[in-house]
Amino acid sequence: MAERVAIILAAGISSRMNTNLPKVLHEVCGRPMLAYVLDACRQVGTSKIYVVVGYGAEQVEERFAGSKDIIWVKQDQQQGTAHAVLCCKEHLKDFDGQTLILCGDGPLIRAEMFRTVIECYEAGQSAAALATTILDDPTGYGRIVRDAYGNIKGIVEHNDCTKDQLSIKEVNPSYYLFNNKILFEALEKVKPDNVRHEYYLTDALSIIIATGHKVVAVTAVRPEEAVGVNSRAELTQAGKIMQRRIQQKLMDNGVTIVDPVNTWVDARADIGQDTVIEPFTYIHGQVKIGQNCRVGPFAYLRSGTLLGDDVVLGVFTEIKNSTLADGVRARHLSYLGDASVGRNVNIGAGTITANFDGQKICRTDIGNDCYIGSGAMLIAPLSLRDGSHIKPGIVVSQDEVDKTENGN
Ligand code: UD1
Ligand code: MG
């Protein structure tokens, strides 16, 4: 089987986003866009992933510092997508295999779609294969131009389209697979003869076709997966589609989401079977929820929240960087931050962990089977032993606890 590598284009400055942050670091459901594109490459089996970076390169590299399969390639001047791919020439000029090319601003890509493209490429002994989709509103996308037999002739960018071509609804989401050698030969021939005076990767396809090689364009992408993020509005649109996918997967795994539209769950969250998520719940960051829990309505779970099984979190509870063991109940209006709460603890309404003393964050440890009365103010650092009974409405500091426990 031919070896396969991937090139991800992520050097663009993104003027349309009006941002200082590199575009591919903008988050969709809690993860940078680029993370999803990397996932898709890995899922179809790529030995190496070349990521072309330019604007904000250091920031992007730093964010993905742990990924050993990435080779960072610098594109100093953004002269177009073909130029970006050519920046990988030193690494790939002698590579005799398949090269996937994707854009870092297409987080909705799915590995299954790429599997279809790979199958078509291999079955047809093609020099290149690409996925296409049909959009009701194709504005901004490169149009797929086909001949009378339905074979692809080339791709014309929106700004370069004739009036007739503008009405073509089949577009290029920028998911390609190339024979590497043929690709690099064609790239040398691309000229910046277009409205933006850029070197277009899409022109490499027409060049490959003109040299007599076979290129297949397969309609393998659902319209919603084609969304390339070029503006804030598209970022939001991509986020909504991704949110639906995240929730669908959770529901398939046995989680009840009472009101999906009014619930937001981070892509990194892990939720156990038979847990019910009530409306207006916001789960952000690395969060793990066990089985048979009930969360919300109006709960806010932040990064580092770890819930055991049978936990109940009710209205207006905020949890951050805290572990709540099996059977904990915090039904109303509580903040638990940097806390560890033992089994079957009852947290009364309005209980707060005061975890920040103005300089540092301190921890609160609550043992098993404790009762914390309503309105308790727990001043961290604090440690409450198993079975502690805290009366409602009091301020609890470690000094007070020590005094009481020593019988003073
Ligand atoms: C590109 C395609 C278009 C397709 C659309 C799908 C070309 C010429 N056009 O257009 O056919 O419909 O994607 O979303 O390829 N980049 C670089 N270096 C550069 C220029 C771009 O790395 O010099 C990167 C960008 O960071 C981005 C990707 O390439 O991730 C695509 O560039 P972008 O400017 O967004 O192209 P589109 O106009 O969207
Ligand atoms: Mg784009």
Side-chain angles (χ1 to χ4, degrees):
M1 222 180 68
E3 192 184 340
R4 187 179 305 131
V5 300
I7 299 177
I8 301 175
L9 308 182
I13 192 153
S14 186
S15 44
R16 287 169 280 179
M17 291 279 283
N18 194 7
T19 176
N20 288 320
L21 190 70
K23 177 157 76 170
V24 293
L25 292 189
H26 280 267
E27 288 181 357
V28 171
C29 295
R31 297 176 78 210
M33 282 195 258
L34 180 58
Y36 296 97
V37 183
L38 288 165
D39 284 352
C41 293
R42 290 177 182 137
Q43 283 163 18
V44 294
T46 44
S47 54
K48 291 192 189 86
I49 305 174
Y50 298 86
V51 182
V52 183
V53 282
Y55 178 77
E58 298 73 27
Q59 260 174 292
V60 183
E61 287 179 37
E62 201 185 308
R63 185 79 191 249
F64 291 90
S67 307
K68 300 281 172 258
D69 54 353
I70 299 180
I71 295 159
W72 300 101
V73 178
K74 210 57 185 287
Q75 185 193 25
D76 290 322
Q77 277 189 330
Q78 279 76 66
Q79 299 178 42
T81 43
H83 179 259
V85 177
L86 259 180
C87 292
C88 302
K89 188 176 162 187
E90 277 315 300
H91 296 279
L92 288 174
K93 60 180 186 303
D94 298 321
F95 173 60
D96 191 12
Q98 301 176 356
T99 303
L100 282 176
I101 303 186
L102 316 77
C103 293
D105 65 353
L108 296 170
I109 184 168
R110 283 177 320 126
E112 296 110 82
M113 176 281 305
F114 250 133
R115 286 195 194 102
T116 312
V117 173
I118 292 167
E119 272 168 30
C120 288
Y121 173 95
E122 289 177 344
Q125 297 189 324
S126 314
L130 65 139
T132 72
T133 190
I134 316 281
L135 296 184
D136 285 339
D137 177 11
T139 309
Y141 290 87
R143 308 294 205 279
I144 308 294
V145 181
R146 294 184 184 264
D147 65 17
Y149 303 99
N151 297 319
I152 179 167
K153 277 188 358 197
I155 299 173
V156 183
E157 290 307 300
H158 181 93
N159 289 333
D160 301 300
C161 278
T162 61
K163 205 158 161 273
D164 281 350
Q165 287 168 337
L166 278 177
S167 65
I168 299 174
K169 291 193 166 9
E170 186 179 20
V171 304
N172 167 34
S174 285
Y175 303 146
Y176 320 89
L177 178 63
F178 286 95
N179 170 309
N180 184 72
K181 290 225 149 135
I182 296 173
L183 166 68
F184 277 86
E185 277 162 29
L187 287 173
E188 301 286 354
K189 297 179 193 154
V190 172
K191 303 232 159 38
D193 295 337
N194 51 62
V195 175
R196 279 161 69 180
H197 304 293
E198 285 187 1
Y199 294 86
Y200 285 166
L201 176 59
T202 41
D203 287 347
L205 284 163
S206 342
I207 292 167
I208 291 174
I209 294 165
T211 16
H213 291 294
K214 184 168 173 192
V215 173
V216 281
V218 31
T219 321
V221 180
R222 290 188 219 140
E224 63 161 41
E225 289 160 22
V227 176
V229 176
N230 297 308
S231 65
R232 301 276 176 170
E234 283 167 346
L235 183 68
T236 305
Q237 197 191 350
K240 285 202 160 157
I241 296 167
M242 190 67 81
Q243 186 56 221
R244 279 206 295 273
R245 283 191 200 170
I246 291 166
Q247 294 192 13
Q248 187 59 54
K249 194 164 163 211
L250 288 169
M251 291 191 270
D252 291 345
N253 291 342
V255 176
T256 295
I257 300 176
V258 175
D259 184 0
V261 175
N262 293 305
T263 301
W264 194 93
V265 186
D266 194 290
R268 294 162 292 175
D270 177 355
I271 307 181
Q273 197 185 28
D274 291 321
T275 282
V276 178
I277 309 292
E278 302 273 11
F280 303 102
T281 293
Y282 190 79
I283 298 173
H284 184 261
Q286 216 104 39
V287 169
K288 191 168 189 315
I289 301 175
Q291 299 190 356
N292 293 309
C293 295
R294 187 165 278 271
V295 178
F298 297 100
Y300 179 24
L301 273 50
R302 294 164 54 195
S303 228
T305 295
L306 231 96
L307 307 184
D309 298 335
D310 306 303
V311 171
V312 180
L313 296 180
V315 65
F316 298 118
T317 47
E318 174 179 345
I319 318 284
K320 183 210 85 173
N321 194 29
S322 294
T323 303
L324 277 55
D326 297 351
V328 170
R329 295 169 310 284
R331 291 187 197 273
H332 342 258
L333 303 154
S334 287
Y335 171 60
L336 301 172
D338 305 283
S340 155
V341 182
R343 282 188 311 277
N344 300 322
V345 169
N346 182 85
I347 307 276
T351 296
I352 301 284
T353 52
N355 58 335
F356 184 52
D357 67 4
Q359 257 121 34
K360 57 184 188 314
I361 298 271
C362 303
R363 292 202 59 87
T364 301
D365 288 304
I366 301 174
N368 295 324
D369 305 306
C370 293
Y371 167 84
I372 315 291
S374 292
M377 181 67 71
L378 308 174
I379 313 282
L382 180 70
S383 178
L384 296 176
R385 55 165 69 164
D386 290 353
S388 297
H389 187 103
I390 304 294
K391 283 189 232 151
I394 60 166
V395 175
V396 187
S397 67
Q398 193 65 53
D399 281 353
E400 289 298 322
V401 169
D402 292 345
K403 267 194 231 157
T404 317
E405 280 175 1
N406 295 331
N408 298 319

